[in-house]
Amino acid sequence: MTLAEFIHDSKQNHALCLEAAYHANLTICTSWIIKSYAKSKDEAKDLFIEAMVILSENNFKNRIEPTQTLLSTYLLAICKNLIRQADRNKKFQKVDLENLPEVAGAEEFEAFGFGNETQLKSLQDSLEKLGHPCNTIIREFYFNQTRQEKITEMLGYQNVDVTKTMKYKCLGRLKDIFFKMYKQS
Amino acid sequence: MYQLNQKEIELIEAYHLNNISEEEKIMLTNRLVNEPEFRTAFEEFTSLLSAMDAQRRLQTRKFLKSIDQKKNTKIDGPTKNNLLWMILGIIICGLIFVIVRSKKQVKNDIKELKTDVNSTKENDTTLIKKDSQTFQNKTYPLAEANQATRLKISSKYYQTPEFGTVRSSEKDSVKTKLIRLYYEKQYSEITKIYQNTKTADPEIKLLIGTAYYHQAKWRNATSIFTEIQKDGGLHDEAEWYSLLCYLNDTDQANKFKSLARKIRSNPDHSFYNETLSLLSDIKNKKITLYIPD
């Protein structure tokens, strides 16, 4: 499967395409990781799954160019970068984190809570509070990576523009609820 | 609190996804510097989008791990059952094979027993029949044998007869002369002398007969041998040498047949064993002889 094919198939059904890509590349990638970097089978599988996540993320953000490059080559490149990154992180772990000097602005950084658990929990709660159809639109577009055309069909809207307007309105509402809940927690 | 409109949200989202042009980027940075309320709203919005990114990644990771679990359960569950089924199948096949084989063996044993009984009965009768019919059959294993083969077979069985010692009174007699000539292998001389002098001595007759034999004059030889048979004396020898003559004479096949049958039916015959082995030799050479009735 090439990158162009993956992008095309992903637009039709993202979950199905991702599953197919997983099955097609699991053995190639894991065996390569085990052979080249002397990793265990479980480590190799974790790395492959992480590479698949990055692939999915890059596809959502339109960061992949629809070339004739093989998907396996792309995934192997991601795996390579992940291993190098992990090696770099290992070096940083040697630093005594407990005795680090306090940095100004760290509290502010934490206030916005980049990727912590409470933030994710409040996001889920706020999504539930959002109600239909905003909940569906946000979930389908941002999490299930469904195309706007399909969402339009699903919800029976007149055209894509209506869905687009609805999506931004819902995002605005979600932001209000999310920060309200996050501040409360 | 600043409320973002659709265009602004679109712009922030594009910025978050890195899908923004340079012009838009400059415009956005200017606004972020100059409008603090817009800046707060922007920061809140980007943090929401980051949280959504994290949520999406988490969801994708879960989904991928669920595929892996599904795959594992698929492998673990049914393969164990399959293995059991395979083992059971092999055992059942083995049992069926053993049962079928033993049944077949029993059938074969019964068949063999039956055939054994029948064949022993048949063999007894057929052997007797065959024995009596071998010479009555129209075909006999010498029919197509050429003269060379006939000679080969007959020379295997032909032995020069031993003639008695010559008495002193008989010195320079015809008999001594013939015997001397015989051992000198002057067979034509012997036959010439025989044509001039007639004798009743079976030994001399046998000598002359074999002399004809050595000259391949089968008819002459057989006529002398029949004379000996009639007169008596060396009867068995005469018969045996006649048989060898008939063997070489293609036209005398019928006579060969009747004489061989005669010797074969008489176990006391001096050349009984020789006749049997001669016949079996002819048979083994797989040469057929057509003998008209």
Side-chain angles (χ1 to χ4, degrees):
Chain A
M1 188 189 261
T2 61
L3 285 176
E5 283 169 345
F6 175 78
I7 293 163
H8 177 263
D9 293 353
S10 173
K11 277 175 188 169
Q12 309 304 316
N13 191 332
H14 179 71
L16 210 72
C17 178
L18 206 65
E19 195 173 341
Y22 178 92
H23 288 304
N25 296 290
L26 176 71
T27 330
I28 308 166
C29 290
T30 48
S31 57
W32 179 80
I33 294 163
I34 293 164
K35 222 177 181 182
S36 310
Y37 293 93
K39 299 276 176 189
S40 71
K41 211 175 181 180
D42 290 335
E43 281 176 324
K45 200 174 260 181
D46 285 344
L47 271 164
F48 173 70
I49 287 173
E50 209 49 47
M52 286 291 291
V53 171
I54 291 167
L55 168 81
S56 167
E57 200 61 19
N58 287 351
N59 181 43
F60 177 74
K61 289 176 181 175
N62 294 321
R63 284 177 187 167
I64 307 171
E65 278 185 35
T67 57
Q68 289 302 311
T69 311
L70 283 172
L71 188 62
S72 57
T73 316
Y74 187 81
L75 285 167
L76 287 174
I78 298 171
C79 287
K80 210 174 180 178
N81 286 335
L82 283 170
I83 292 162
R84 282 180 182 171
Q85 201 180 327
D87 288 344
R88 252 180 272 139
N89 288 348
K90 266 184 191 175
K91 282 176 192 170
F92 281 118
Q93 272 174 14
K94 285 174 187 172
V95 180
D96 190 3
L97 289 168
E98 282 179 9
N99 297 324
L100 273 176
E102 282 187 15
V103 183
E107 278 178 20
E108 275 177 40
F109 184 83
E110 269 183 15
F112 289 112
F114 282 94
N116 63 35
E117 276 180 27
T118 43
Q119 191 192 36
L120 287 177
K121 204 186 172 293
S122 40
L123 180 67
Q124 278 171 0
D125 293 342
S126 45
L127 272 168
E128 274 169 25
K129 259 200 170 179
L130 204 60
H132 189 73
C134 280
N135 186 325
T136 320
I137 294 169
I138 300 290
R139 273 186 195 281
E140 284 300 323
F141 185 79
Y142 286 99
F143 302 134
N144 298 342
Q145 301 188 25
T146 314
R147 284 185 306 148
Q148 285 182 345
E149 287 83 357
K150 263 201 169 179
I151 299 169
T152 313
E153 268 178 42
M154 232 194 263
L155 298 171
Y157 292 140
Q158 280 185 339
N159 52 46
V160 183
D161 290 332
V162 179
T163 318
K164 217 174 183 178
T165 318
M166 279 297 288
K167 187 187 92 180
Y168 288 116
K169 272 186 183 173
C170 293
L171 262 180
R173 274 186 63 199
L174 178 71
K175 192 207 88 179
D176 292 343
I177 299 165
F178 173 69
F179 277 97
K180 217 178 179 181
M181 289 189 84
Y182 188 65
K183 275 168 191 172
Q184 276 174 5
S185 62
Chain B
M1 199 179 175
Y2 188 84
Q3 281 295 320
L4 294 163
N5 61 35
Q6 193 182 325
K7 274 196 175 179
E8 285 168 336
I9 295 171
E10 271 180 41
L11 188 73
I12 295 166
E13 199 187 16
Y15 172 81
H16 181 75
L17 296 173
N18 210 14
N19 286 336
I20 194 168
S21 66
E22 278 301 308
E23 279 179 18
E24 284 172 327
K25 212 174 193 178
I26 294 162
M27 197 186 78
L28 187 68
T29 0
N30 281 336
R31 281 193 74 184
L32 286 171
V33 172
N34 299 322
E35 295 173 40
E37 280 187 339
F38 176 74
R39 191 189 160 193
T40 334
F42 170 83
E43 280 168 350
E44 280 178 356
F45 215 90
T46 44
S47 66
L48 170 73
L49 288 172
S50 300
M52 281 163 75
D53 282 352
Q55 179 64 32
R56 188 173 51 249
R57 276 198 296 272
L58 198 74
Q59 205 169 304
T60 315
R61 202 171 287 120
K62 270 185 184 174
F63 171 72
L64 289 166
K65 282 188 175 170
S66 74
I67 298 171
D68 202 44
Q69 278 166 357
K70 258 193 259 173
K71 204 182 168 187
N72 285 338
T73 48
K74 265 183 189 175
I75 293 164
D76 289 344
T79 43
K80 277 179 185 172
N81 286 333
N82 282 347
L83 264 170
L84 280 171
W85 280 115
M86 269 174 73
I87 292 161
L88 263 170
I90 290 162
I91 292 164
I92 290 163
C93 283
L95 278 169
I96 290 165
F97 177 73
V98 169
I99 292 162
V100 169
R101 213 187 160 192
S102 58
K103 271 190 176 180
K104 269 189 178 178
Q105 215 160 349
V106 168
K107 274 185 181 177
N108 283 335
D109 286 350
I110 293 164
K111 264 188 180 179
E112 273 178 23
L113 274 169
K114 278 181 180 176
T115 48
D116 271 2
V117 170
N118 287 332
S119 63
T120 43
K121 278 180 185 174
E122 277 174 9
N123 275 345
D124 290 344
T125 49
T126 48
L127 274 170
I128 297 158
K129 274 182 185 176
K130 268 184 184 176
D131 258 14
S132 58
Q133 280 177 359
T134 37
F135 293 103
Q136 287 164 9
N137 283 342
K138 282 187 177 179
T139 54
Y140 195 78
L142 247 187
E144 287 156 15
N146 57 25
Q147 197 60 42
T149 322
R150 288 162 185 272
L151 267 170
K152 218 177 177 181
I153 296 165
S154 61
S155 59
K156 188 186 166 186
Y157 289 93
Y158 177 82
Q159 275 183 330
T160 317
E162 282 181 14
F163 301 105
T165 48
V166 182
R167 274 175 253 159
S168 56
S169 60
E170 285 177 343
K171 270 182 185 174
D172 298 327
S173 69
V174 181
K175 194 179 178 182
T176 46
K177 202 180 178 182
L178 284 172
I179 290 169
R180 188 173 49 80
L181 284 171
Y182 191 86
Y183 288 122
E184 283 169 4
K185 293 183 181 176
Q186 292 179 13
Y187 305 117
S188 54
E189 283 296 312
I190 296 167
T191 48
K192 269 179 193 174
I193 294 163
Y194 171 71
Q195 277 163 6
N196 298 324
T197 52
K198 293 281 174 186
T199 175
D201 187 353
E203 208 173 17
I204 292 172
K205 276 186 177 175
L206 189 72
L207 186 142
I208 293 156
T210 48
Y212 276 120
Y213 183 92
H214 282 289
Q215 291 173 79
K217 290 178 178 173
W218 317 116
R219 291 282 165 92
N220 297 334
T222 45
S223 66
I224 290 167
F225 293 136
T226 43
E227 270 179 36
I228 301 167
Q229 283 169 51
K230 279 173 192 172
D231 300 341
L234 297 166
H235 182 270
D236 286 0
E237 281 81 356
E239 271 188 345
W240 170 244
Y241 288 112
S242 313
L243 189 73
L244 293 177
C245 286
Y246 292 143
L247 177 67
N248 284 303
D249 195 349
T250 44
D251 297 334
Q252 304 290 336
N254 215 11
K255 283 184 178 171
F256 172 84
K257 180 184 156 186
S258 58
L259 186 59
R261 195 195 298 165
K262 193 183 166 190
I263 301 168
R264 204 170 166 270
S265 61
N266 179 21
D268 296 329
H269 198 282
S270 314
F271 293 89
Y272 173 78
N273 291 327
E274 281 85 345
T275 311
L276 287 182
S277 80
L278 168 74
L279 291 170
S280 71
D281 225 21
I282 292 164
K283 259 189 185 179
N284 293 336
K285 282 189 187 296
K286 290 175 184 175
I287 36 181
T288 51
L289 172 68
Y290 177 72
I291 303 163
D293 281 329

